[in-house]
C-alpha cells in the first residue's frame, strides 16, 4: 500500500472537532487560575495567600461542604462499583455459559436501561423508593427517627442498578471467544469449580472485569440525574453540590474542583482503557 | 482379556436440542477397553465419539447406563475427582500461565510437595522432548509443541486412563504423521490406557490396538485394525475404512459360510458371509470387495470372474487404478500394484476385460 497524503481539509476538520471537544475543558482549567471571583473575564493569574496560583484549589480544600460531598461521592462510587462489578460479572458469565430458555430476552432486558433516558429511570426509582418506603413505614408503624428515608443507601442502590448493565456489557465483550475448554481442562486436572474460577476463569477475564469496574466507577462519580432523584439529607454528592453552587455564583473554586475531577476521571478511564487493550 | 480400564455399559446420552426436541448423541453403547490398550473411537463428526469420551472424562453424565473406570462405577463423580486426564483438540493450555505452571497444575491440585512437582514436571517435559521450556508462555510455542505440552500436562499426573480428543486434528499432515508414531511409542513407554477420538480412519489404523467404529450414536464394530479393514460387518464400516467396491445382488444359494449371489445384470459370484450376518436365498444384499483384492491378470483357478469394460485408467505411482463398468451396469474400481512395468498396461480404455477375485475377498453385507 502506498502512503496516502491526507487532504488538508480532512486534517483541518479533525482539528476543529477536537477544538470543539476540548475547548470547554481548557477554558475551565484556565479559569481555575483566574484572579477574579467571576467566571466571565480572565483578569490574570491569581497569586494570593500561601497557595499562589493554586489559591482556588486551596479554598476548595478548606470548604467543609466540598469535602463532605467528595467523601459522599467516593463512598457511593466505591460501594456501588464493588457490588455492580460482582453482579454484572456474574450475569456476563451466566449469559456466556448457559443456554437457558429466555436467554436472549434476559440479555436484551439487561441492556435496556442503558438506552432508557436517565430522567425516566430517575423518576421511576424515586417513585419506587418513596412508595415502598411509605408503605413499609406505615405497615411497621416505625417511629419518626427510624423511618426509611432517601439518603446514601438509596443513592448507592440506584447506582448499583444502573452500573450493572455496563459492567455486563464490558465483561461480555472480554468473554467473547473465551474457550470453555480451559475451564474443563482445569477441572480435568483436579480443580473444583471454585478453584477453576479463581485460577483460570478470573485471571483470564480480569482485564474485562477491571475495565467494567472502572466504567462503573466513573459513571457513579459524575452521575447527576439519578442521584438528584434519589438523594436525601446528608447524601449530597459533588455533582449535586456543584449544581447548587451554580445557582448562586460560579467562582473559580468550582473550576478548581472540576479540574481535579477531570484529572481523576482521566486517570480512571486511562487505566480502564489500558486494561481493556491488554491481551 | 486383561483387566478392564474402562467399561461403558449400555450408555445413552440425550441432549435437549435447540428447538426443544431431544437429540440422542449416544445410543446404548457398550465398550470394554483393556488396561494398557490404545483404543480408538472412530467415526464421522456427530457420531457420538466425542460425547462418549466426555462421559468417561466426567464433562457429561450419561442419561442412562454406567461408566466404569477400573471396575469402579463413576456415577455422578465430577471430572475433577476422576482418575483420568484429557488432551483437548484445542490443547486448552492456560494462556496466562507458563509452560511449567501449566504442567504443574494437576500436581498442585493434588497437593504434591514442591520438590516432587518440580522433578516430575522436568521429567514430563523431557518425555515430550521439550525440557527447558518451563519459563515460556504457550503462545511462544508452535502448534506441535503446544500439543506435546498438553500431553505432558495430562501424563504428569499419571492418570489411570488418558483421553485424547482429536489431539492431532489441528496439526499439518507431516507433523501429524510424526506425532502419530510418537504418540504410539509414548503409549508403549508409559503403559497407560489411551482412549483416542478421531475421524481419520488412517490415523486410527496406524495407532490403535483396537478401534470402535461409530455412526449415529451407535458402535457398529469393534476390533483391531485388520479385523475392521478385512472383515467389516456392515456397509458403513466397509465404506468408512479405506476404499471399497459395492455391488448389489440377490442371494441364490447359501453353502455354510459362503453364498452364491446373482448381481443386478445377471452375473453370479460366490462371497463369504461374515459371522454377524445371516442371509437366506432370495434376500437382497450388497457385496463388498476391496479394489486391491481384485485383479485384471487372468488366472484359471478363481471362481469369481466378472466381465466389464474399462472406462478410465489412473496411474498414481505405486498403483494403477482401473475404472470399470460391469456387464449389468455396476461401476467398480480395481487397483493393480505397479511391481512391473506391465501392470499399467493390463488393459486399455474401452477394452473388455475379466476381473477376478477370491471368494474370501468378497463379503456379503445386509446393511
Amino acid at each position: 500500500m502506498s502512503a496516502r497524503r491526507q487532504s488538508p481539509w480532512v486534517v483541518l476538520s479533525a482539528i476543529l472537532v477536537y477544538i470543539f471537544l476540548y475547548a470547554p475543558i481548557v477554558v475551565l482549567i484556565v479559569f481555575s487560575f483566574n484572579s477574579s471571583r467571576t467566571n466571565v473575564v480572565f483578569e490574570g493569574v491569581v497569586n494570593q495567600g500561601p497557595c499562589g496560583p493554586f489559591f482556588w484549589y486551596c479554598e476548595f480544600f478548606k470548604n467543609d461542604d466540598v469535602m463532605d460531598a467528595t467523601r459522599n461521592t467516593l463512598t457511593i462510587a466505591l460501594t456501588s462499583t464493588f457490588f455492580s462489578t460482582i453482579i454484572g460479572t456474574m450475569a456476563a458469565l451466566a449469559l456466556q455459559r448457559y443456554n437457558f430458555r429466555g436467554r436472549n430476552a434476559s440479555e436484551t432486558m439487561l441492556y435496556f436501561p442503558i438506552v432508557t433516558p436517565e430522567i425516566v429511570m430517575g423518576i421511576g426509582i424515586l417513585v419506587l423508593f418513596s412508595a415502598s418506603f411509605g408503605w413499609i413505614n406505615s405497615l411497621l408503624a416505625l417511629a419518626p427517627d427510624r423511618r426509611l428515608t432517601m439518603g446514601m443507601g438509596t443513592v448507592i442502590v440506584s447506582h448499583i442498578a444502573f452500573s450493572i448493565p455496563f459492567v455486563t456489557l464490558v465483561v461480555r465483550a472480554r468473554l467473547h471467544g473465551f474457550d470453555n475448554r480451559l475451564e474443563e481442562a482445569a477441572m480435568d486436572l483436579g480443580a473444583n469449580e471454585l478453584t477453576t474460577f479463581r485460577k483460570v476463569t478470573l485471571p483470564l477475564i480480569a482485564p474485562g472485569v477491571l475495565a467494567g469496574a472502572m466504567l462503573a466507577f466513573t459513571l457513579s462519580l459524575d452521575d447527576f440525574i439519578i442521584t438528584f432523584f434519589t438523594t436525601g439529607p446528608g447524601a449530597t454528592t459533588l455533582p449535586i453540590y456543584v449544581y447548587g453552587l451554580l445557582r448562586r455564583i460560579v467562582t473559580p473554586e468550582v473550576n478548581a474542583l472540576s479540574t481535579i475531577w477531570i484529572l481523576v476521571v482521566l486517570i480512571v478511564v486511562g487505566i480502564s482503557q489500558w486494561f481493556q487493550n491488554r491481551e | 482379556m486383561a483387566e478392564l480400564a474402562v467399561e461403558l455399559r449400555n450408555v445413552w446420552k440425550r441432549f435437549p436440542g435447540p428447538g426443544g426436541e431431544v437429540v440422542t448423541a449416544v445410543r446404548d453403547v457398550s465398550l470394554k477397553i483393556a488396561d494398557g490398550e490404545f483404543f480408538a473411537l472412530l467415526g464421522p463428526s456427530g457420531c457420538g465419539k466425542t460425547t462418549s469420551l466426555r462421559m468417561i472424562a466426567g464433562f457429561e453424565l450419561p442419561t442412562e447406563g454406567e461408566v466404569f473406570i477400573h471396575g469402579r462405577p463413576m456415577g455422578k463423580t465430577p471430572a475433577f475427582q476422576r482418575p483420568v486426564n484429557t488432551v483437548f483438540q484445542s490443547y486448552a493450555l492456560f494462556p496466562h500461565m507458563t509452560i511449567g505452571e501449566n504442567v504443574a497444575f494437576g500436581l498442585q491440585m493434588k497437593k504434591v510437595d514442591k520438590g516432587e512437582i518440580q522433578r516430575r514436571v522436568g521429567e514430563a517435559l523431557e518425555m515430550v522432548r521439550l525440557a527447558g521450556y518451563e519459563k515460556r508462555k504457550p503462545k511462544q510455542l508452535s502448534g506441535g509443541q503446544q500439543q506435546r505440552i498438553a500431553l505432558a500436562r495430562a501424563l504428569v499426573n499419571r492418570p489411570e486412563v488418558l483421553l485424547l480428543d482429536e489431539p492431532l486434528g489441528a496439526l499439518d499432515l507431516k507433523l501429524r504423521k510424526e506425532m502419530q508414531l510418537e504418540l504410539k511409542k509414548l503409549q508403549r513407554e508409559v503403559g497407560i490406557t489411551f482412549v483416542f477420538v478421531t475421524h481419520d480412519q488412517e490415523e486410527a489404523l496406524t495407532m490403535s490396538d483396537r478401534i470402535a467404529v461409530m455412526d449415529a450414536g451407535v458402535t457398529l464394530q469393534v476390533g483391531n485394525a485388520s479385523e475392521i479393514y478385512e472383515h467389516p460387518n456392515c456397509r458403513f464400516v466397509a465404506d468408512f475404512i479405506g476404499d471399497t467396491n459395492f455391488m448389489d445382488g440377490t442371494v441364490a444359494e447359501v453353502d455354510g459360510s459362503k453364498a452364491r449371489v446373482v448381481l443386478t445384470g445377471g452375473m453370479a459370484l460366490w462371497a463369504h458371509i461374515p459371522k454377524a450376518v445371516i442371509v437366506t436365498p432370495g434376500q437382497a444384499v450388497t457385496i463388498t470387495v476391496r479394489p486391491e483384492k481384485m485383479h485384471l491378470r487372468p488366472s484359471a483357478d478363481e471362481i469369481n470372474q466378472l466381465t466389464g469394460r474399462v472406462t478410465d485408467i489412473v496411474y498414481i505411482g505405486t498403483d494403477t487404478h482401473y475404472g470399470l463398468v460391469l456387464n449389468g451396469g455396476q461401476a467398480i474400481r480395481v487397483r493393480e500394484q505397479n511391481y512391473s512395468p506391465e501392470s499399467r498396461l493390463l488393459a486399455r480404455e474401452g477394452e473388455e476385460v475379466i476381473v477376478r477375485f477370491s471368494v474370501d475377498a468378497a463379503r456379503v453385507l445386509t446393511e
Side-chain angles (χ1 to χ4, degrees):
Chain A
M1 290 242 286
S2 63
R4 259 196 311 158
R5 186 180 282 272
Q6 289 294 345
S7 149
W9 293 107
V10 173
V11 179
L12 183 70
S13 46
I15 290 171
L16 284 175
V17 167
Y18 278 93
I19 289 176
F20 181 69
L21 284 174
Y22 282 89
I25 295 173
V26 173
V27 171
L28 179 103
I29 295 171
V30 169
F31 274 76
S32 72
F33 299 101
N34 197 354
S35 60
S36 159
R37 272 198 69 82
T38 68
N39 252 325
V40 186
V41 198
F42 192 77
E43 290 176 358
V45 174
V46 67
N47 195 355
Q48 205 176 327
C51 302
F54 291 96
F55 172 76
W56 297 112
Y57 290 81
C58 293
E59 283 299 290
F60 126 79
F61 274 112
K62 276 189 264 173
N63 185 333
D64 285 341
D65 291 344
V66 172
M67 293 323 282
D68 278 345
T70 306
R71 206 172 302 117
N72 287 343
T73 304
L74 286 176
T75 308
I76 291 162
L78 289 172
T79 318
S80 72
T81 300
F82 179 77
F83 288 105
S84 62
T85 303
I86 291 174
I87 300 168
T89 303
M90 279 163 55
L93 283 169
L95 288 169
Q96 159 85 7
R97 200 170 301 176
Y98 306 112
N99 202 351
F100 51 91
R101 189 195 280 271
R103 197 188 74 158
N104 287 344
S106 28
E107 187 162 12
T108 311
M109 276 173 69
L110 188 64
Y111 299 148
F112 190 65
I114 294 178
V115 294
T116 310
E118 222 184 324
I119 186 103
V120 175
M121 290 299 287
I123 295 170
I125 293 173
L126 172 68
V127 173
L128 175 74
F129 277 134
S130 51
S132 50
F133 282 3
W135 185 71
I136 292 167
N137 287 341
S138 63
L139 189 77
L140 301 180
L142 293 170
D145 59 323
R146 302 189 53 186
R147 278 187 192 147
L148 296 173
T149 53
M150 307 293 255
M152 290 290 277
T154 49
V155 176
I156 288 172
V157 168
S158 54
H159 280 215
I160 293 172
F162 77 67
S163 299
I164 288 171
F166 289 96
V167 174
T168 306
L169 202 67
V170 174
V171 177
R172 276 282 274 169
R174 178 77 195 179
L175 278 171
H176 187 79
F178 183 84
D179 184 5
N180 291 327
R181 294 279 181 273
L182 292 173
E183 291 182 335
E184 282 183 355
M187 296 226 204
D188 186 69
L189 292 165
N192 59 28
E193 287 90 343
L194 192 67
T195 314
T196 300
F197 181 75
R198 217 160 40 82
K199 292 250 184 183
V200 176
T201 318
L202 191 57
L204 288 174
I205 65 168
V209 174
L210 271 165
M214 297 293 183
L215 186 61
F217 185 76
T218 48
L219 283 173
S220 168
L221 211 58
D222 75 351
D223 180 74
F224 177 78
I225 300 176
I226 286 180
T227 313
F228 182 77
F229 282 103
T230 51
T231 191
T236 301
T237 64
L238 278 174
I240 303 283
Y241 177 76
V242 170
Y243 178 71
L245 281 185
L246 289 175
R247 286 203 293 194
R248 279 169 276 145
I249 181 173
V250 190
T251 64
E253 216 178 302
V254 174
N255 295 38
L257 166 61
S258 307
T259 303
I260 290 173
W261 203 339
I262 287 167
L263 283 176
V264 170
V265 171
L266 213 61
I267 290 164
V268 173
V269 169
I271 294 171
S272 143
Q273 281 291 320
W274 184 74
F275 272 114
Q276 220 164 358
N277 292 337
R278 213 173 55 151
E279 277 241 294
Chain B
M1 196 181 277
E3 196 199 341
L4 289 182
V6 180
E7 186 184 355
L8 269 66
R9 207 179 283 169
N10 304 103
V11 168
W12 291 74
K13 182 67 189 179
R14 298 187 196 90
F15 288 110
E21 78 281 11
V22 175
V23 176
T24 307
V26 172
R27 294 169 190 271
D28 200 21
V29 164
S30 293
L31 285 174
K32 288 180 174 169
I33 301 169
D35 206 17
E37 202 171 19
F38 199 129
F39 192 91
L41 293 168
L42 173 66
S45 64
C47 73
K49 56 188 193 300
T50 297
T51 308
S52 302
L53 193 82
R54 290 172 60 80
M55 286 193 285
I56 302 172
F59 301 135
E60 311 281 357
L61 295 175
T63 316
E64 268 176 60
E66 185 67 277
V67 174
F68 297 85
I69 295 174
H70 279 124
R72 302 187 299 277
M74 284 296 113
K76 288 190 161 57
T77 310
F80 56 85
Q81 285 169 354
R82 297 195 181 197
V84 300
N85 285 115
T86 308
V87 176
F88 295 86
Q89 180 172 16
S90 56
Y91 317 135
L93 298 178
F94 306 127
H96 58 298
M97 297 184 196
T98 63
I99 297 305
E101 288 164 346
N102 263 281
V103 178
F105 192 88
L107 298 175
Q108 277 165 359
M109 292 302 118
K110 280 191 203 156
K111 307 252 188 301
V112 176
D113 73 63
K114 277 205 175 125
E116 170 85 356
I117 290 180
Q118 209 179 359
R119 194 178 59 74
R120 277 168 70 177
V121 167
E123 273 177 19
L125 289 176
E126 214 160 288
M127 182 178 67
V128 296
R129 297 190 284 109
L130 287 172
Y133 279 64
E134 280 93 338
K135 292 278 179 289
R136 303 210 193 171
K137 284 284 183 81
K139 257 203 304 187
Q140 294 170 280
L141 270 56
S142 72
Q145 290 173 327
Q146 291 187 27
Q147 211 282 322
R148 271 143 61 193
I149 296 301
L151 206 60
R153 184 177 69 174
L155 283 174
V156 76
N157 306 295
R158 296 172 188 156
E160 292 180 24
V161 180
L162 185 74
L163 307 172
L164 304 104
D165 184 10
E166 306 237 10
L168 310 179
L171 303 179
D172 62 57
L173 189 68
K174 191 169 174 294
L175 198 55
R176 195 155 71 219
K177 299 263 181 215
E178 276 174 37
M179 282 304 294
Q180 285 174 4
L181 300 174
E182 200 168 314
L183 259 183
K184 178 80 195 156
K185 200 173 126 241
L186 194 65
Q187 193 261 343
R188 293 252 168 81
E189 278 168 22
V190 296
I192 291 172
T193 311
F194 278 32
V195 183
F196 185 90
V197 159
T198 182
H199 65 270
D200 182 340
Q201 44 105 5
E202 203 185 320
E203 193 165 282
L205 294 178
T206 309
M207 300 164 73
S208 330
D209 295 322
R210 284 195 310 144
I211 300 163
V213 184
M214 293 188 73
D215 183 44
V218 180
T219 42
L220 297 171
Q221 189 170 2
V222 182
N224 64 34
S226 75
E227 281 166 2
I228 299 268
Y229 185 79
E230 305 284 347
H231 311 292
N233 64 5
C234 65
R235 194 180 164 121
F236 181 88
V237 174
D239 197 25
F240 194 72
I241 315 290
D243 297 326
T244 199
N245 292 303
F246 291 115
M247 294 173 280
D248 297 324
T250 312
V251 177
E253 186 185 339
V254 177
D255 176 13
S257 65
K258 290 186 293 182
R260 199 169 80 90
V261 175
V262 177
L263 300 178
T264 330
M267 286 190 292
L269 55 79
W270 282 91
H272 177 79
I273 308 168
K275 269 187 211 135
V277 175
I278 298 159
V279 290
T280 49
Q283 192 177 344
V285 292
T286 303
I287 303 297
T288 175
V289 189
R290 298 279 181 197
E292 75 276 11
K293 295 190 196 310
M294 289 182 150
H295 301 285
L296 297 179
R297 291 187 185 83
S299 168
D301 45 65
E302 209 87 87
I303 304 169
N304 291 328
Q305 310 237 0
L306 305 176
T307 33
R309 196 171 290 281
V310 177
T311 55
D312 64 277
I313 301 171
V314 181
Y315 173 76
I316 60 152
T318 55
D319 301 309
T320 302
H321 295 183
Y322 294 88
L324 267 68
V325 175
L326 297 177
N327 295 351
Q330 315 215 30
I332 60 165
R333 294 194 79 74
V334 177
R335 187 182 297 168
E336 286 286 358
Q337 225 186 332
N338 293 336
Y339 54 78
S340 71
E342 297 87 70
S343 53
R344 33 187 301 222
L345 304 165
L346 291 167
R348 262 188 273 275
E349 266 180 46
E351 197 180 329
E352 185 154 290
V353 289
I354 290 178
V355 183
R356 66 174 172 86
F357 47 90
S358 70
V359 175
D360 282 341
R363 303 180 63 81
V364 179
L365 300 175
T366 52
E367 47 184 298

